[in-house]
Amino acid sequence: MSIVTVILSRAFKAFVTLLAIAVLNFCLLHAAPGDPAVVLAGEAGAADEQMIEQLRERFGLDQPFYVQLGKYVGSVLTLDLGYSFRQGAPVAQLIAERLPATLLLTLTAFVISLVLGIAFGVAASARVGKASDSLLTTLALLFYATPLYWAALMAVLVFSVWLGWLPGFGYETVGAGYTGLARAFDIAKHLVLPALTLGLFFMAVYMRMTRASMLEVSQLDFVKTAKAKGLSGPAIRRRHILRNAILPVVTLAGLQAGQLVGGAVLTETVFAWPGIGRLMFESLAARDYNTILGVFLVSAAMVILFNIVTDIVYRLVDPRIGAKA
């Protein structure tokens, strides 16, 4: 099966999956307690029945559930995510403004976790039973067991408050007026703590997976044959063991890449990072249903996209998979 056929097949499945997710999110959100009209009327200081009924009629909340669902699905099919009456702007515009920050954070954390995880996993597998192997394995377990929000708070406390090495909050320095490379460097400094905090958790998973996979592959017959031919240890690990051991790591990385979006909610909230995770948190507190649904849908689309990319990369890394399809 060619790559083009695979992409078209995955795209169709992704469309059906996203549509099902949109319907499910709408049903679950409207089954939750609370009425946005009551909240808005209360904040306006006019929480009487007449005002509430006017708000329900304005937002379409007075219509039957199936009518609201049909209108929402029709809007999604036309890429219209609705209007946020709390923010006073279209939901698509709000997400488009916040999405680059989330993509920057999640992709940076993903690269950090994957590169460090594979590197440390290979290093640990080459020194099984030694002190360095025990140290790396213990550190991986520590990073994995530490709650994400606690690690984020400790990172701010140590590196920003106590040492003053890095900024602890925000996307860039407010009012600095940086442009060009100066602005890019300023954003990079603000990115270090949230990206490392988010990436180290997943790095621990990839490191342990790489180590276990390397040790398993090293016991196979073709590796013994390579040793019998007189190849050096580093050459065997690089050309024979790692190439085969990395396949399950790629699979796991693709599955967990979507979880980075979920982890970004906590990370963005703690570090005041202006991404869609923080937007979702604020919208949940304000019962801004349209924005919540929009963020959920975009997050689901990102997860599905990560999985499609992983499937394609997997086929490129191991051509046997495409031949079997």
Side-chain angles (χ1 to χ4, degrees), residues 75-106:
S75 298
V76 169
L77 291 175
T78 60
L79 302 181
D80 179 11
L81 300 181
Y83 189 84
S84 171
F85 294 95
R86 300 302 300 265
Q87 303 277 358
V91 174
Q93 177 184 332
L94 294 173
I95 294 176
E97 292 173 353
R98 304 273 192 125
L99 187 58
T102 295
L103 289 176
L104 177 62
L105 173 60
T106 53

Side-chain angles (χ1 to χ4, degrees), residues 24-321:
L24 182 61
N25 285 340
F26 187 89
C27 295
L28 290 176
L29 198 58
H30 278 68
D35 188 343
V38 174
V39 176
L40 288 174
E43 292 181 352
D48 57 88
E49 283 298 325
Q50 183 179 1
M51 180 66 174
I52 293 174
E53 288 300 325
Q54 290 177 353
L55 288 173
R56 286 200 182 104
E57 182 179 356
R58 179 183 177 187
F59 299 153
L61 299 175
D62 59 331
Q63 298 176 345
F65 173 77
Y66 65 88
V67 175
Q68 297 182 47
L69 177 59
K71 289 184 176 180
Y72 173 70
V73 173
S75 298
V76 169
L77 291 175
T78 60
L79 302 181
D80 179 11
L81 300 181
Y83 189 84
S84 171
F85 294 95
R86 300 302 300 265
Q87 303 277 358
V91 174
Q93 177 184 332
L94 294 173
I95 294 176
E97 292 173 353
R98 304 273 192 125
L99 187 58
T102 295
L103 289 176
L104 177 62
L105 173 60
T106 53
L107 291 177
T108 304
F110 181 72
V111 171
I112 289 174
S113 62
L114 194 58
V115 172
L116 293 182
I118 293 176
F120 290 156
V122 172
S125 67
R127 298 169 178 82
V128 180
K130 297 182 179 179
S132 56
D133 176 34
S134 300
L135 176 62
L136 290 173
T137 304
T138 302
L139 287 176
L141 182 61
L142 178 64
F143 290 140
Y144 182 75
T146 304
L148 192 59
Y149 68 88
W150 188 86
L153 290 173
M154 290 302 101
V156 172
L157 183 63
V158 174
F159 295 104
S160 181
V161 178
W162 289 353
L163 299 177
W165 290 353
L166 296 165
F169 305 101
Y171 181 75
E172 56 185 322
T173 305
V174 178
Y178 293 130
T179 58
L181 290 178
R183 182 170 183 262
F185 181 71
D186 184 52
I187 294 175
K189 286 197 303 183
H190 285 79
L191 178 64
V192 171
L193 286 183
L196 280 177
T197 301
L198 186 58
L200 286 178
F201 172 83
F202 294 95
M203 181 274 292
V205 179
Y206 302 146
M207 185 214 135
R208 294 176 66 86
M209 172 65 78
T210 302
R211 178 184 180 276
S213 186
M214 290 280 291
L215 292 177
E216 181 181 357
V217 173
S218 65
Q219 301 301 317
L220 298 180
D221 291 338
F222 70 89
V223 176
K224 296 177 182 178
T225 302
K227 292 180 180 178
K229 289 181 178 180
L231 293 178
S232 63
I236 293 175
R237 283 193 295 271
R238 183 180 66 255
R239 294 167 52 187
H240 297 281
I241 300 179
L242 180 60
R243 184 175 180 180
N244 291 275
I246 203 173
L247 295 177
V249 180
V250 171
T251 303
L252 182 64
L255 293 175
Q256 291 195 329
Q259 296 182 17
L260 284 167
V261 180
V265 176
L266 287 173
T267 308
E268 290 179 2
T269 302
V270 172
F271 289 101
W273 188 263
I276 61 173
R278 189 180 176 199
L279 176 64
M280 181 174 66
F281 180 81
E282 296 169 351
S283 301
L284 283 170
R287 288 190 176 89
D288 189 352
Y289 285 172
N290 286 342
T291 305
I292 296 172
L293 288 171
V295 172
F296 282 173
L297 188 65
V298 172
S299 300
M302 291 172 62
V303 173
I304 293 174
L305 180 61
F306 282 138
N307 283 307
I308 293 175
V309 172
T310 302
D311 196 10
I312 295 172
V313 171
Y314 205 95
R315 290 169 180 271
L316 295 175
V317 173
D318 189 359
R320 295 172 298 178
I321 296 176

